[in-house]
Amino acid sequence: MEKPAQESWEPKTALGREVKEGKVKSISEVLRRGVPIKEPEIVEALAPGLEERILAINFVQRMHKSGRRNKYRVLVAVGNRDGLVGVGHNSAREIREAIRKATLTAKMGLVEVARGCGSWECRCDRPHSVPVEGKGKYGSVEITIKPAPRGLGLVASEVPRAVLELAGVKDAWTFSRGETRTTINLSMATLQALKNLTKVAFVGRKKGVQLGPTGGETGG
């Protein structure tokens, strides 16, 4: 009989050993330390059941001295719809393997997202939107995420919408420019914008801010 994946896991990093020994029990604790996650099993142990969404699959060809090499490049987003989200991309000769590798990359790039109600039109103090404006840039793409009133929904194109939904943001305005058809750049710019607004929100300690799946700091 095979052992469960977590039981057979042999950690290779100090953080992994702490998680396996039960010294670290929260993914929020890991992310707030700022320690890079180098083993996907850490996320699987502390944040099980993350939802996965394939954002793009591209067939790429590369010339090599031994001949033409074909691979699939996959872009994946993961999240729990409650303040945790990650984006990752990877490639492999088979689609299934490319998806697996991209998913692991997304898990190791997981971030916590600040949510709140920063819209002057709403001010309900509920974590349905973002607490402040955030801007992100990746490659040629720039995106701005702004707070929106409750019930508006996500005013965003398909890729930013998917990332925001998985992060647990229900209402927001987005504005993007650059080569937005480059899916990888657009998704990574969105993730960067969420990181930046989280930093700003918690420096200012804005009322109504909620960070991550543990509830964090909330306003009455």
Side-chain angles (χ1 to χ4, degrees):
M1 184 176 180
E2 292 186 7
K3 292 183 179 180
Q6 287 299 318
E7 289 186 17
S8 60
W9 171 39
E10 293 296 335
K12 298 179 182 178
T13 64
L15 177 59
R17 287 189 288 273
E18 288 184 32
V19 172
K20 183 75 180 284
E21 294 167 6
K23 295 179 181 178
V24 176
K25 299 181 180 180
S26 166
I27 190 67
S28 295
E29 182 181 346
V30 174
L31 297 175
R32 293 177 196 183
R33 276 192 197 180
V35 180
I37 299 174
K38 297 183 178 180
E39 297 178 87
E41 291 87 356
I42 293 173
V43 176
E44 291 166 0
L46 301 178
L50 291 177
E51 183 179 335
E52 303 168 8
R53 189 175 300 184
I54 298 173
L55 302 181
I57 298 178
N58 296 310
F59 182 70
V60 294
Q61 293 183 323
R62 180 181 172 188
M63 289 303 298
H64 191 266
K65 60 182 180 181
S66 60
R68 191 185 303 273
R69 292 187 176 181
N70 302 323
K71 284 188 176 183
Y72 292 96
R73 180 184 297 160
V74 177
L75 176 67
V76 172
V78 301
N80 67 347
R81 295 180 180 266
D82 192 21
L84 291 176
V85 69
V87 176
H89 58 91
N90 221 313
S91 59
R93 292 185 179 181
E94 296 183 2
I95 292 181
R96 182 178 296 181
E97 179 64 11
I99 293 173
R100 186 189 71 83
K101 290 168 67 175
T103 302
L104 295 181
T105 302
K107 288 181 178 180
M108 291 189 287
L110 206 65
V111 300
E112 276 189 305
V113 177
R115 292 167 296 151
C117 179
S119 173
W120 62 270
E121 300 174 84
C122 187
R123 300 186 181 278
C124 66
D125 289 338
R126 297 183 182 182
H128 66 93
S129 185
V130 291
V132 295
E133 179 181 310
K135 295 183 178 182
K137 186 177 188 301
Y138 195 89
S140 64
V141 178
E142 295 182 24
I143 189 169
T144 301
I145 302 173
K146 292 185 176 183
R150 192 176 178 199
L152 177 74
L154 295 172
V155 182
S157 59
E158 185 178 353
V159 172
R161 177 188 292 271
V163 176
L164 291 169
E165 285 178 349
L166 290 173
V169 177
K170 298 177 182 178
D171 306 286
W173 300 96
T174 67
F175 307 88
S176 58
R177 64 179 182 178
E179 192 58 46
T180 55
R181 290 177 297 177
T182 309
T183 312
I184 291 176
N185 288 357
L186 182 55
S187 61
M188 296 303 291
T190 304
L191 190 68
Q192 188 61 51
L194 291 173
K195 287 182 183 179
N196 291 340
L197 69 84
T198 298
K199 291 178 184 177
V200 173
F202 279 84
V203 167
R205 297 289 177 181
K206 190 174 179 67
K207 184 181 178 182
V209 171
Q210 178 171 308
L211 182 63
T214 57
E217 181 178 340
T218 57

